Amino acid sequence: MENLNIKWHTIPIEKVAEHLKVDIQNGLSDEDVKKRLDQYGKNLITTKKQQSSLVRFLLQFHQPLIYILLAATLITILLGEYTDASVIFAVVLINSFIGYYQETKALKAIDALSKSMSTTATVIRNGKQSDIDSVGLVPGDLVVLRAGNKIPADLRLITVKDMQVDESALTGESVATEKNTRPADESTMIGDRQNMGFAATIVTYGSAKGTVVTTGDHTEVGKINTSIATASELDTPLTLKIKKFSHMLLWVILVFALLILGIAYLRGESLADAFMVAVALMVGAIPEGLPAAVTIMLAIGVGKMAKRKAIIRKLVAVETLGSTDIICSDKTGTLTENQMTVQKIMAGGELFDVTGMGYKPQGKVLFKGEKVLLNEKPALLSMLRGGVLCNNSRIIEREGRWKAEGDPTEAALISVAEKAGIQKDYIDRYFPRLDEIPFQSEYQYMATLHKADKDIVFLKGSLEAVLASSDFMMNEQGEVNPIEKSAIQKCAEEMATEGLRVLAFAMKEYDFSKKELNHGDVAKGMVFTGLQGMIDPPREEAIKAVELCQQASIQIKMITGDNALTAANIATHLGIKGKMENGKLKALTGLELKRFSESELQEIADEVSVFARVSPDQKLRLVKSMQANGKVVAMTGDGVNDGPALKQANIGIAMGISGTEVAIDAADMVLTDDNFASIEAAVEEGRGVLDNLTKFIVWTLPTNLGEALVILASISLATQLPLAPVQILWINMTTAICLGLMLAFEPKEPGIMDRPPIPSGKPLLTFPVIMRTLLVGTLIMLTSFLLFRFELAKGASLAQAQTVTTTVFIVLEAFYLFNCRSLRRSIKEIGWFSNKWVYYGVFAMLILQLLFIHAPFMNALFHSAPIGLHSWLRILAAGLGLFIIVYIEKTIRKQMTGTEEF
């Protein structure tokens, strides 16, 4: 395994062969392959063993409050109360099934990585070329690569012919990487190692031969697999709060249960009766309906988000979105169009602006704000014509969206020409192509020869290459003059400082007797026609979305594979806020990040908003640093390289169109349109869902407190139990579904994106929540206990009195539900009928309660009995009284504190 620590990109080809003990002409022998296969193993990603379905189901019972209910079930069985035991255990099973159903399938990211490396490879062994399953590759194997091949392992390239590789899945870089064989510096980042071929990337152009240096888990994509496997799964803010609340409630219930048993023992009461009282307390204090209601409310949120182009893979992601402090976003295709667009032109010494975004050929070429007429601008006409003719791509419209077939840069040249009035199909017929010099990395240009009155050659490429070939330049009248290279270079530099990618153009009229084109024909005497500056522009809707997020105190961080200058300029156009340096938005590169310690990186991650040329492990470090600052982090990604960071983030967001299988499987949410604006929309929906969950918790906790207090009151006063355990379960489960769940349909409140995220450290039981719970819980306890005693005093049976108590709880909860429809505004402000589902829920609860009271089978199951009209009137009056008291409390609190915040 000594080869694993070698920096292969730094070593000359001959040293590579020496280290790997391979003949770079004939490759390895069969004997060498067998030995190395034994030594290094197969070229496979190690898969992680997942939990079985049974284990995942049993883990649903591994919760403190479920333990209490299971204990209550066991006690009631021992006491011979089999009906009560069955009902309690049924509630446990329902919650467990719902939890199991909503639990996400085990991550498939590592399996996807294995699939991404499973392919065939063309190798040279024993001096012969053959195709083999890439699983059998070993270090030292010679691999032949051609356009369209997926690279099967990490290779050090030993011969290259004009090869370009799409490494976006690994590096995030949107432009294909040109490859060569020259050694690089040790500090060179992965995306800049031009002498390496990496597993799971795609050859888009040219050919090469390379020798395998690492396989399986030791490849760069294999290291990402390890990162995904070790990235920790984080609890969401709400689940953490509920977990802490559950542990606290567990100890409170146990203490009170022991206290009840102690009191009963001292009074000489029946131990069996004391145990039933303890069971009633256990059942009453636990909000059994909370897990089911939370799950269903999150599922409703999932449906709302799907309508806004965000598919949720993990239910808890809905709630996490509402608490998000930071969104780390890729640039290409998410914040930008992922469609190169020409924005500035220099032709004949004049500067032109171009309107319109993306490949869609709608827009104008402007000179000093006015639309250009091409017949008045011969230099511009010549340059745009050259951009279309010296071109092997095309743009097409599919399903209402314009797409490039071929190189994105060439597609941009066609689009801008069509905006100016030059049609590619027409001009191709008018100037038929005779010959071509394809783009080659060593020359940095492409040239084409076309038939006309005089044969014309068009040249496009890098500024350096085109200027080297040009001796003349065309002025604004179309006249040919000696070239002024310094003025051209200055213009190009100004374009580059705006983050534009600059292409240069030239042409020459000449009679070619052979009708063939070679490099010597374009080496000199060319007439420079101009420059085109292009960029992958920001999405218009992303600019608005960034503004809304920052208005909501959510930080936006751009993490991209592009260069720092381009990234900073795009971030500035988007309006992203961050640390400034020399009047410009500061951008840090992956190379600079290497120098920071963990504590320094925490500070940097908080201040800086743009990170460029970062590696997968650096993305992971950045996410962890932000989380170490106590932030809830959302991370977007589409490539294999994004997998670890997506899994580590509190919420991982994958791109549905451009995303790799690895990214999608590691994510919590998938955007169907790859648009940052959809993230903002999902955050808005998440905040709405989180608001409604908070309303549900504020609504349900007083019920459990009231049930516990009424049991304690009966013990203290040595009276009969006002509620049986099964009646408590009836109250908790039916009201949670029929009443509390209706809060999920509350519309988002105005200004939801004007307030900061809820701090992740904010406890579930804040002071206002505690005070409201004590007030309402006490009122429910007093009302129910007094009416229970009143019914008994009037001669009602125990079953009738307990039925009245049960109905008191349900009716008071229904009235209190209207108080909880908004925690910030009164019922008048939000409108009595803005949520019709509340009325449907109250009606459904009324029907169920009438069945509970009057249906014989319900009477047998829940120990209930019919009650009279006067009992109903007293109960309804109590419900109205509770509503008025809470309404007054909300008004007083708002006047005293200036807010209704919880």
Side-chain angles (χ1 to χ4, degrees):
M1 296 293 179
E2 65 276 4
N3 292 335
L4 299 180
N5 298 319
I6 297 173
K7 307 293 183 184
W8 294 105
H9 60 284
T10 66
I11 301 174
I13 294 169
E14 56 275 12
K15 290 289 185 183
V16 172
E18 186 180 317
H19 274 295
L20 292 169
K21 299 181 176 60
V22 60
D23 181 339
I24 59 174
Q25 298 300 323
N26 297 316
L28 298 173
S29 66
D30 290 340
E31 187 179 347
D32 290 331
V33 171
K34 187 176 183 304
K35 287 179 181 177
R36 296 183 189 203
L37 203 55
D38 291 338
Q39 182 181 359
Y40 296 103
K42 292 182 177 180
N43 181 32
L44 284 173
I45 295 290
T46 304
T47 55
K48 181 181 175 182
K49 188 177 180 182
Q50 306 292 355
Q51 291 175 328
S52 68
S53 297
L54 177 62
V55 170
R56 283 189 285 119
F57 175 70
L58 292 176
L59 285 174
Q60 303 305 314
F61 296 87
H62 184 48
Q63 300 173 45
L65 301 185
I66 296 296
Y67 291 155
I68 295 174
L69 290 177
L70 289 173
T73 303
L74 181 62
I75 291 169
T76 48
I77 289 173
L78 293 174
L79 294 174
E81 301 289 343
Y82 300 116
T83 302
D84 289 13
S86 300
V87 174
I88 296 171
F89 188 65
V91 169
V92 173
L93 279 179
I94 290 169
N95 272 324
S96 298
F97 274 118
I98 291 174
Y100 174 75
Y101 178 77
Q102 69 101 2
E103 181 140 318
T104 314
K105 293 178 181 179
L107 286 174
K108 301 175 186 174
I110 297 169
D111 289 339
L113 280 165
S114 289
K115 292 174 188 173
S116 74
M117 288 189 63
S118 179
T119 182
T120 57
T122 302
V123 298
I124 298 174
R125 290 177 177 174
N126 303 307
K128 297 178 182 178
Q129 185 171 302
S130 61
D131 292 338
I132 66 164
D133 191 325
S134 63
V135 170
L137 286 176
V138 294
D141 257 327
L142 288 183
V143 177
V144 178
L145 299 173
R146 299 183 184 88
N149 288 164
K150 181 185 285 186
I151 299 179
D154 283 2
L155 313 176
R156 173 63 164 89
L157 302 176
I158 54 178
T159 63
V160 171
K161 185 176 181 182
D162 308 325
M163 190 170 81
Q164 297 178 20
V165 179
D166 178 2
E167 296 181 339
S168 58
L170 185 65
T171 66
E173 173 60 75
S174 54
V175 179
T177 305
E178 295 172 13
K179 294 297 182 179
N180 58 52
T181 60
R182 294 187 296 273
D185 293 335
E186 185 173 333
S187 60
T188 305
M189 301 297 291
I190 289 174
D192 297 321
R193 294 178 189 174
Q194 296 179 319
N195 58 12
M196 297 291 294
F198 297 107
T201 60
I202 308 291
V203 179
T204 59
Y205 188 85
S207 60
K209 185 167 72 171
T211 182
V212 175
V213 291
T214 52
T215 57
D217 289 337
H218 303 296
T219 60
E220 292 300 328
V221 77
K223 292 172 187 175
I224 291 171
N225 159 48
T226 305
S227 297
I228 292 176
T230 56
S232 53
E233 295 270 9
L234 300 177
D235 283 319
T236 69
L238 184 66
T239 53
L240 273 174
K241 291 171 187 177
I242 291 176
K243 190 179 287 186
K244 289 178 182 177
F245 172 71
S246 299
H247 281 93
M248 180 196 74
L249 189 59
L250 169 65
W251 291 108
V252 170
I253 290 170
L254 290 176
V255 167
F256 275 104
L258 290 172
L259 185 62
I260 288 169
L261 289 173
I263 292 171
Y265 176 75
L266 291 173
R267 286 180 176 174
E269 294 177 8
S270 163
L271 200 58
D273 291 342
F275 267 117
M276 282 306 294
V277 173
V279 167
L281 178 69
M282 290 178 184
V283 173
I286 295 172
E288 291 89 359
L290 181 61
V294 167
T295 298
I296 296 168
M297 290 178 85
L298 291 176
I300 292 168
V302 167
K304 290 180 180 178
M305 289 183 183
K307 293 176 183 176
R308 302 190 71 174
K309 310 293 186 184
I311 305 299
I312 302 296
R313 299 183 69 245
K314 303 179 182 179
L315 278 183
V316 288
V318 178
E319 174 259 316
T320 310
L321 276 166
S323 307
T324 300
D325 297 300
I326 297 174
I327 299 174
C328 297
S329 178
D330 188 20
K331 176 184 72 69
T332 306
T334 309
L335 290 166
T336 64
E337 294 281 357
N338 197 19
Q339 296 189 349
M340 296 299 287
T341 305
V342 175
Q343 292 192 333
K344 289 192 180 295
I345 293 173
M346 189 277 277
E350 296 177 323
L351 291 175
F352 302 85
D353 294 307
V354 183
T355 64
M357 293 291 181
Y359 299 138
K360 188 176 184 178
Q362 282 189 1
K364 298 174 183 176
V365 179
L366 305 175
F367 179 64
K368 296 181 179 179
E370 298 293 328
K371 184 178 178 181
V372 166
L373 296 175
L374 283 180
N375 58 2
E376 296 176 1
K377 300 292 181 183
L380 177 65
L381 173 61
S382 180
M383 186 195 61
L384 292 176
R385 181 185 288 163
V388 174
L389 291 171
C390 189
N391 196 312
N392 289 325
S393 302
R394 64 176 185 148
I395 55 173
I396 56 170
E397 185 181 11
R398 283 182 186 160
E399 299 175 356
R401 181 176 171 84
W402 285 83
K403 298 181 179 180
E405 283 194 350
D407 184 74
T409 301
E410 292 189 337
L413 301 179
I414 297 169
S415 177
V416 71
E418 293 198 10
K419 288 174 185 177
I422 298 174
Q423 296 296 320
K424 178 171 171 57
D425 291 344
Y426 172 79
I427 202 169
D428 281 342
R429 291 196 300 270
Y430 196 75
F431 295 92
R433 184 182 295 187
L434 300 174
D435 200 11
E436 168 191 348
I437 299 175
F439 179 86
Q440 293 174 292
S441 56
E442 60 205 273
Y443 291 103
Q444 292 292 308
Y445 63 72
M446 173 185 176
T448 54
L449 175 64
H450 299 266
K451 183 180 179 181
D453 295 336
K454 278 189 176 181
D455 295 338
I456 306 177
V457 60
F458 290 104
L459 179 75
K460 81 165 190 290
S462 69
L463 178 66
E464 296 78 9
V466 173
L467 284 183
S469 299
S470 300
D471 297 317
F472 309 97
M473 66 182 292
M474 193 177 289
N475 67 13
E476 63 269 25
Q477 282 85 36
E479 298 165 346
V480 176
N481 295 326
I483 194 166
E484 297 176 17
K485 293 188 178 181
S486 59
I488 294 169
Q489 287 170 332
K490 183 180 178 183
C491 181
E493 287 169 6
E494 288 173 357
M495 287 186 180
T497 57
E498 295 181 36
L500 299 175
R501 184 184 181 196
V502 181
L503 274 184
F505 299 82
M507 55 83 67
K508 181 168 65 174
E509 291 185 344
Y510 189 75
D511 283 323
F512 288 80
S513 56
K514 292 184 178 179
K515 307 301 180 186
E516 292 179 358
L517 192 62
N518 58 53
H519 291 291
D521 296 322
V522 296
K524 59 182 180 179
M526 300 297 293
V527 179
F528 179 85
T529 54
L531 303 170
Q532 294 194 44
M534 62 187 70
I535 198 169
D536 180 11
R539 291 176 181 257
E540 289 294 333
E541 60 271 34
I543 295 172
K544 179 64 176 174
V546 166
E547 181 186 354
L548 282 172
C549 286
Q550 292 180 154
Q551 181 180 303
S553 300
I554 298 171
Q555 292 178 277
I556 308 298
K557 309 283 187 182
M558 180 191 285
I559 303 178
T560 179
D562 254 335
N563 68 71
L565 184 61
T566 300
N569 274 285
I570 290 289
T572 302
H573 289 155
L574 285 160
I576 292 175
K577 297 174 183 177
K579 187 174 182 180
M580 305 296 287
E581 191 174 76
N582 300 323
K584 294 183 178 181
L585 201 60
K586 183 177 177 62
L588 283 177
T589 64
L591 207 55
E592 292 170 308
L593 289 178
K594 279 184 174 181
R595 299 197 294 264
F596 296 118
S597 65
E598 294 304 323
S599 58
E600 289 173 329
L601 190 60
Q602 283 182 35
E603 184 179 346
I604 290 293
D606 188 50
E607 295 176 348
V608 177
S609 294
V610 182
F611 301 92
R613 294 291 193 192
V614 292
S615 63
D617 61 308
Q618 288 172 332
K619 285 189 178 185
L620 191 60
R621 277 189 74 202
L622 281 169
V623 171
K624 287 181 176 178
S625 295
M626 293 171 199
Q627 289 171 334
N629 289 328
K631 304 295 186 182
V632 176
V633 181
M635 172 80 189
T636 76
D638 56 6
V640 173
N641 62 319
D642 296 318
L646 285 172
K647 190 179 175 191
Q648 177 64 37
N650 299 86
I651 175 163
I653 305 169
M655 304 298 110
I657 298 173
S658 61
T660 60
E661 188 179 352
V662 174
I664 290 171
D665 283 337
D668 306 289
M669 182 174 94
V670 180
L671 301 183
T672 60
D673 60 354
D674 289 13
N675 193 337
F676 184 85
S678 297
I679 302 176
E680 183 277 326
V683 168
E684 192 176 320
E685 290 294 344
R687 285 191 171 195
V689 171
L690 189 56
D691 270 3
N692 292 341
L693 279 171
T694 305
K695 293 170 190 175
F696 177 85
I697 290 167
V698 171
W699 170 82
T700 196
L701 289 182
T703 306
N704 299 106
L705 177 63
E707 289 164 347
L709 288 176
V710 83
I711 300 300
L712 290 173
S714 68
I715 289 295
S716 302
L717 299 175
T719 67
Q720 294 170 296
L721 279 179
L723 289 169
V726 288
Q727 292 167 344
I728 293 172
L729 286 174
W730 169 261
I731 295 168
N732 290 352
M733 292 302 291
T734 56
T735 57
I737 302 302
C738 293
L739 300 179
L741 194 58
M742 299 305 109
L743 292 171
F745 300 101
E746 285 294 329
K748 295 187 292 294
E749 296 189 24
I752 198 168
M753 290 299 282
D754 292 335
R755 61 179 194 256
I758 296 173
S760 57
K762 185 179 179 180
L764 187 66
L765 297 179
T766 60
F767 181 74
V769 171
I770 292 171
M771 296 309 295
R772 171 69 70 78
T773 301
L774 288 173
L775 171 66
V776 178
T778 302
L779 288 172
I780 290 175
M781 180 274 290
L782 288 172
T783 304
S784 58
F785 190 75
L786 290 173
L787 286 179
F788 172 73
R789 297 296 300 162
F790 181 80
E791 293 290 336
L792 288 177
K794 284 181 66 71
S797 67
L798 177 62
Q800 287 175 317
Q802 286 182 331
T803 302
V804 166
T805 307
T806 304
T807 308
V808 167
F809 270 89
I810 285 170
V811 170
L812 265 61
E813 282 191 74
F815 275 96
Y816 180 49
L817 184 70
F818 288 89
N819 295 115
C820 293
R821 285 189 54 204
S822 175
L823 302 180
R824 297 172 176 82
R825 293 171 173 80
S826 69
I827 191 74
K828 286 183 181 178
E829 291 176 277
I830 64 171
W832 283 93
F833 299 101
S834 57
N835 179 8
K836 61 185 179 181
W837 288 97
V838 169
Y839 297 95
Y840 298 154
V842 170
F843 180 73
M845 188 68 249
L846 177 62
I847 298 299
L848 286 174
Q849 189 61 17
L850 288 173
L851 284 172
F852 175 89
I853 295 169
H854 297 288
F857 76 95
M858 296 290 273
N859 296 157
L861 190 62
F862 290 100
H863 315 308
S864 57
I867 58 174
L869 178 62
H870 288 93
S871 297
W872 271 105
L873 292 174
R874 286 188 287 271
I875 293 167
L876 290 170
L880 182 61
L882 176 68
F883 174 80
I884 294 169
I885 291 170
V886 175
Y887 182 87
I888 294 169
E889 180 266 345
K890 284 178 75 174
T891 305
I892 293 171
R893 181 159 48 83
K894 187 175 183 180
Q895 290 173 346
M896 291 177 63
T897 64
T899 178
E900 292 184 25
E901 290 286 347
F902 271 75

